[in-house]
Amino acid sequence: MFSRMSAANDQQDIKKEKILEAAHHRFLHYGYSKTTMNEIAADLSLSKALLYYYFPDKSQLYTAVMRKVADDYLNILKSRVNTFADLKDAFEFEINTQHEFIVANYNFFDFFRLNEQNLPDMIWQIVGQVHQCEADLLVTAIKNEADKGKIKPVPNPDEIVELLLDALHGVRVSAQSHKKILFPQKEHLDEIRTKRLLLADIFIKGLMY
């Protein structure tokens, strides 16, 4: 009896994972607004009723996919903690990895652009976890460099990193300087990355001298 229940749960997990993969593919290529539950069900040859059994609505399905996408990103960050040659290496990794993540998933994030003022609490929790992981990576890098004597001791690395991340988040191209938006236009992302790298370089030099 127990083995049958376990096998049934495994099958449900496999089916749920396939739904998440198919939904991610749709959201990634067409965006949230242009993806329907009917299309996702059709991609998997599932009935719409069965899809709704696993995910009651598109918003909940999107959140589950977001959790999976964020976990992949978090695993990349966590795998690099304590591996950097110096502080510049750490900051460039964080900025470049975030940039590549946003570029690779740009259409997926249209949900944020459509719902910036009304994002579900669960989405904000995921965003908060990502932000904390990015901050922890950089705080650890600063502490390691201070321990090695490569930079002067930093009494409040957590506050310093929060300040830098706020500054990096605020970097915009001139055409968007007065727009409070979470995700800029895709064609502006490279320029924003360049500016963020420059800002990080100035910040690092401030810690060193």
Side-chain angles (χ1 to χ4, degrees):
M1 172 109 177
F2 178 78
S3 61
R4 288 200 300 271
M5 290 177 60
S6 178
N9 288 336
D10 287 345
Q11 285 300 316
Q12 284 193 336
D13 288 343
I14 291 171
K15 190 164 290 186
K16 193 171 183 179
E17 188 66 24
K18 288 183 177 179
I19 291 171
L20 292 177
E21 289 176 2
H24 184 215
H25 178 80
R26 278 276 172 186
F27 292 141
L28 190 61
H29 285 82
Y30 303 105
Y32 179 84
S33 59
K34 295 182 180 179
T35 294
T36 68
M37 295 289 273
N38 280 340
E39 290 168 336
I40 295 170
D43 288 343
L44 294 163
S45 298
L46 289 178
S47 68
K48 189 176 179 181
L50 186 56
L51 178 59
Y52 277 105
Y53 168 78
Y54 286 99
F55 298 99
D57 59 49
K58 189 170 70 165
S59 177
Q60 290 188 45
L61 175 54
Y62 179 89
T63 300
V65 176
M66 178 68 188
R67 174 76 274 170
K68 179 179 172 61
V69 170
D71 283 344
D72 291 341
Y73 178 65
L74 291 174
N75 287 334
I76 293 172
L77 296 182
K78 291 174 182 177
S79 71
R80 289 297 312 277
V81 174
N82 291 318
T83 68
F84 302 108
D86 52 34
L87 210 51
K88 183 177 181 181
D89 187 26
F91 278 82
E92 287 184 349
F93 167 79
E94 193 281 324
I95 292 169
N96 287 329
T97 302
Q98 185 189 84
H99 170 82
E100 291 162 6
F101 173 68
I102 292 173
V103 170
N105 291 282
Y106 191 80
N107 286 341
F108 177 78
F109 290 124
D110 80 327
F111 182 85
F112 286 72
R113 292 187 289 276
L114 292 168
N115 300 280
E116 279 189 299
Q117 305 304 316
N118 193 34
L119 289 173
D121 289 341
M122 184 58 70
I123 292 291
W124 281 120
Q125 289 178 24
I126 295 171
V127 171
Q129 289 169 359
V130 169
H131 176 83
Q132 189 60 55
C133 190
E134 291 174 335
D136 290 345
L137 180 143
L138 297 178
V139 167
T140 300
I142 287 175
K143 289 178 177 179
N144 287 343
E145 291 299 285
D147 289 343
K148 296 173 186 175
K150 293 184 177 181
I151 62 172
K152 59 187 179 182
V154 180
N156 54 344
D158 296 89
E159 293 178 15
I160 292 294
V161 166
E162 280 297 325
L163 178 61
L164 175 68
L165 290 178
D166 283 346
L168 291 175
H169 179 72
V171 170
R172 294 285 186 270
V173 296
S174 57
Q176 294 181 300
S177 59
H178 302 296
K179 297 180 181 179
K180 294 181 179 180
I181 55 176
L182 195 58
F183 280 93
Q185 296 298 311
K186 193 171 186 179
E187 62 268 23
H188 294 153
L189 292 177
D190 284 336
E191 182 181 346
I192 289 171
R193 173 171 61 170
T194 298
K195 289 184 176 181
R196 286 176 173 172
L197 289 170
L198 177 59
L199 178 59
D201 188 55
I202 294 170
F203 175 83
I204 292 167
K205 289 175 180 175
L207 291 177
M208 295 177 67
Y209 305 110

